[in-house]
Amino acid sequence: MSMNRRQLLQTAGAGWIAALAPLGSRALGAAHAPKKVLFFTKSSGFQHSAITRKGNELGHAERVLTEIGKAHGFDVTATKDGSVFEPGSIDQFDIIAFYTTGDLTKPGTDKQTPMSQSGEKAFYDAIKSGKGFVGFHCATDTFGHHRGQGMNDPFIQLIGGEFMGHGAQQVAKIDVINADFPGAKAFGQSFELNDEWYAQRNLANDLHVILLHDTKGMKGKDYERPAYPQTWARTHGSGRVFYTS
């Protein structure tokens, strides 16, 4: 099977979001209320074209996830404003999704309002207390990579891995390890995708691997290694974490 990134999101996105929906008191108390997703797309480091805006127009990835939400019954709020993480404000969301780079406590590349220290703590506390977290592509190139703390960094501990580099865009084969995970069955046993493939380090030892990156035949020093996790899930405190590169 061969597909592009938009097809991948449309094929599995709703299932992935559903799998991360929290089991906390808010969800139990409002069983029929739409889940609320915060899609945070601040670029303190490199800004990817997929989340670059023209004026007030949402970026490509923001539009895609918003469309998926409308089709499958969850509300998406896309923002680059880090003040949304302040205690009290973050409480309204069930799931937090990152398409981010760099140290989010600094204005950085896009000059948007950064997280405060209290906002960053509220983010970690929110996931530990039972909210869901989704990391897309460059999410592992956030916080820890720029602080150089390795596995001692709280964000790497949360997401389960750290970006270490990537080569030129190329077609790669992805093996489906757990077809029973929501959204994965549609991919069959494997699929191929032309993309910018992230190599990861400092991988947590408790990853529930969903998709595995087959490195055979790939070009570039970043892929001179055995197959490694490409998409995974894990628990973090009472919260659930999902990441796909």
Side-chain angles (χ1 to χ4, degrees):
M1 181 190 301
S2 180
M3 62 177 63
N4 59 40
R5 203 186 277 180
R6 184 183 180 94
Q7 289 170 324
L8 183 145
L9 271 172
Q10 290 176 326
T11 300
W16 291 344
I17 293 290
L20 272 294
L23 295 177
S25 58
R26 182 183 186 280
L28 293 173
H32 301 293
K35 295 292 186 287
K36 296 187 68 174
V37 178
L38 171 62
F39 191 18
F40 192 49
T41 59
K42 177 169 175 53
S43 302
S44 289
F46 179 79
Q47 182 165 244
H48 288 69
S49 60
I51 49 86
T52 299
R53 295 180 177 181
K54 295 180 180 179
N56 294 323
E57 182 182 339
L58 293 179
H60 175 71
E62 295 171 320
R63 293 196 304 272
V64 170
L65 192 59
T66 300
E67 291 169 6
I68 292 174
K70 290 178 180 177
H72 294 278
F74 57 88
D75 295 332
V76 177
T77 297
T79 185
K80 301 177 185 293
D81 185 347
S83 65
V84 73
F85 288 92
E86 288 302 305
S89 178
I90 196 174
D91 296 342
Q92 64 184 296
F93 298 103
D94 300 295
I95 300 169
I96 300 164
F98 271 22
Y99 199 128
T100 53
T101 58
D103 185 347
L104 301 179
T105 64
K106 301 183 184 303
T109 304
D110 66 14
K111 309 301 182 186
Q112 298 294 317
T113 303
M115 282 186 190
S116 65
Q117 289 185 345
S118 60
E120 183 180 1
K121 182 180 184 301
F123 162 62
Y124 295 133
D125 290 346
I127 306 305
K128 286 181 180 178
S129 69
K131 294 184 186 294
F133 176 81
V134 177
F136 292 114
H137 188 49
C138 54
T140 50
D141 190 15
T142 300
F143 285 138
H145 173 66
H146 294 275
R147 292 179 176 178
Q149 295 183 16
M151 296 186 79
N152 292 321
D153 182 88
F155 183 71
I156 294 176
Q157 292 174 356
L158 183 154
I159 199 170
E162 179 185 15
F163 169 69
M164 61 175 284
H166 66 76
Q169 291 192 21
Q170 57 191 294
V171 175
K173 178 173 175 283
I174 305 299
D175 295 318
V176 178
I177 302 302
N178 181 7
D180 291 329
F181 190 87
K185 194 180 296 293
F187 296 124
Q189 294 182 333
S190 66
F191 64 95
E192 292 186 346
L193 182 70
N194 183 57
D195 210 334
E196 180 181 82
W197 297 107
Y198 273 31
Q200 314 284 356
R201 63 188 172 192
N202 290 325
L203 295 167
N205 59 15
D206 63 351
L207 299 183
H208 179 90
V209 180
I210 303 160
L211 305 179
L212 191 70
H213 194 126
D214 186 345
T215 56
K216 291 192 296 291
M218 293 191 70
K219 299 177 181 178
K221 61 180 178 60
D222 294 300
Y223 314 114
E224 295 174 356
R225 60 189 294 185
Y228 60 92
Q230 191 273 341
T231 296
W232 64 73
R234 63 179 303 274
T235 56
H236 192 70
S238 298
R240 285 180 282 182
V241 172
F242 172 88
Y243 171 76
T244 181
S245 72

